């Protein structure tokens, strides 16, 4: 791995961990899409799949796994930190303890749901991505990205929605949100496929990558 490839890897790794954390915090808000309850994480979380695909395409499964586990560790640290801070005695002049608990007090459940879904779906995404790449070589990047996401997102949606919102939403709202989350996520990824191609091409040229992933 040359210096340029190392720099690009650092950028991708830090961004992946940051996107996951920000998405988890945003997911504590439910907003209404024509009456369907949708968590705020959907605004940014699809980017995590694109980042994962770019890392897989350029660096391979071994490096991708390291980034997945490191992102998981960063978010677990956030869970512990929010919980500990919430337990600290409130200052008499602050008066926002309830607001903190209402938002970040719910964050551990959201983050636990997200991390469980993230770990399973990303590892599965990488597995499917790698299998498709063995069949397509360097051709049909769109097939690798979308094919792996179709499978991974299904597990991601089921796991996340069940842990995060089962019992919080009615059965009808729960079903609507799950279907919307999966469908919207896939639509966004399809729309962002040209961006994935562009990022891979720019990174490949700048980093002077060979025809195959590094690992």
């Amino acid at each position: 791995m040359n210096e340029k490839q190392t720099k690009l890897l650092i950028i991708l790794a830090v961004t992946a961990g940051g996107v996951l954390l920000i998405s988890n915090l945003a997911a504590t808000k439910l907003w209404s899409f024509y009456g369907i309850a949708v968590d705020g994480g959907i605004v940014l979380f699809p980017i995590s799949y694109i980042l994962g695909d770019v890392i897989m395409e350029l660096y391979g499964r071994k490096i991708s796994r390291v980034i997945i586990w490191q992102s998981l560790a960063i978010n677990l640290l956030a869970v512990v930190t929010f919980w500990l801070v919430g337990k600290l005695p409130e200052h008499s002049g602050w008066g926002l303890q309830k607001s903190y608990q209402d938002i970040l007090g719910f964050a551990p459940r959201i983050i636990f749901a997200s991390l469980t879904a993230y770990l399973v779906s990303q590892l599965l995404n990488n597995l499917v991505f790698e299998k498709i790449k063995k069949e397509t070589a360097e051709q049909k990047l769109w097939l690798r990205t979308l094919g792996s996401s179709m499978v991974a997102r299904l597990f991601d949606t089921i796991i996340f929605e069940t842990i995060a919102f089962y019992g919080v939403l009615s059965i009808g709202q729960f079903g609507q949100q799950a279907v919307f989350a999966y469908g919207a996520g896939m639509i966004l990824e399809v729309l962002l496929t040209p961006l994935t191609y562009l990022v891979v091409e720019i990174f490949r040229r700048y980093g002077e990558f060979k025809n195959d992933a590094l690992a």
Side-chain angles (χ1 to χ4, degrees), residues 11-27 40-52 71 74-75 114-115 118 122:
I11 292 172
L12 288 168
V14 172
T15 304
V19 165
L20 181 60
L21 180 57
I22 295 169
S23 296
N24 288 334
L25 294 175
I42 196 172
V43 172
L44 187 62
F45 188 69
I47 300 297
S48 67
Y49 277 88
I50 295 175
L51 289 169
S71 297
I74 292 171
N75 281 262
S114 176
L115 294 185
Y118 171 79
Q122 287 294 327

Side-chain angles (χ1 to χ4, degrees), residues 30 43 87 106 133 142 176 179 200 204:
L30 292 179
V43 172
K87 295 297 182 182
F106 187 54
K133 189 170 186 178
W142 64 270
Q176 287 179 333
V179 172
V200 168
R204 192 183 295 278

Side-chain angles (χ1 to χ4, degrees), residues 143-160:
L143 183 60
R144 296 193 287 280
T145 59
L146 298 180
S148 59
S149 290
M150 285 181 65
V151 177
R153 279 187 180 278
L154 179 61
F155 284 84
D156 184 291
T157 301
I158 292 173
I159 294 171
F160 175 77

Side-chain angles (χ1 to χ4, degrees), residues 21-29 75 77-87 94 96-112:
L21 180 57
I22 295 169
S23 296
N24 288 334
L25 294 175
T28 59
K29 176 177 179 176
N75 281 262
L77 177 61
V79 172
V80 174
T81 301
F82 294 147
W83 179 80
L84 286 175
V85 172
K87 295 297 182 182
W94 186 50
L96 296 175
Q97 181 68 16
K98 185 178 185 303
S99 297
Y100 179 92
Q101 293 293 351
D102 287 344
I103 301 299
L104 295 181
F106 187 54
R109 176 172 176 176
I110 294 292
I111 294 179
F112 176 71

Side-chain angles (χ1 to χ4, degrees), residues 1-18 51-71 74 126 199-200 202-204 206-209 213-215:
M1 186 184 302
N2 61 40
E3 183 179 352
K4 290 181 179 179
Q5 292 167 356
T6 300
K7 288 180 180 179
L8 292 175
L9 179 58
I10 292 172
I11 292 172
L12 288 168
V14 172
T15 304
L51 289 169
D53 290 337
V54 172
I55 294 168
M56 271 294 296
E57 181 71 12
L58 298 178
Y59 294 93
R61 191 176 175 191
K62 291 182 180 179
I63 291 178
S64 180
R65 276 202 303 259
V66 172
I67 295 175
I68 290 171
W69 284 105
Q70 185 60 35
S71 297
I74 292 171
N126 288 358
V199 172
V200 168
I202 292 174
F203 278 29
R204 192 183 295 278
Y206 175 80
E208 301 174 355
F209 287 88
L214 294 177

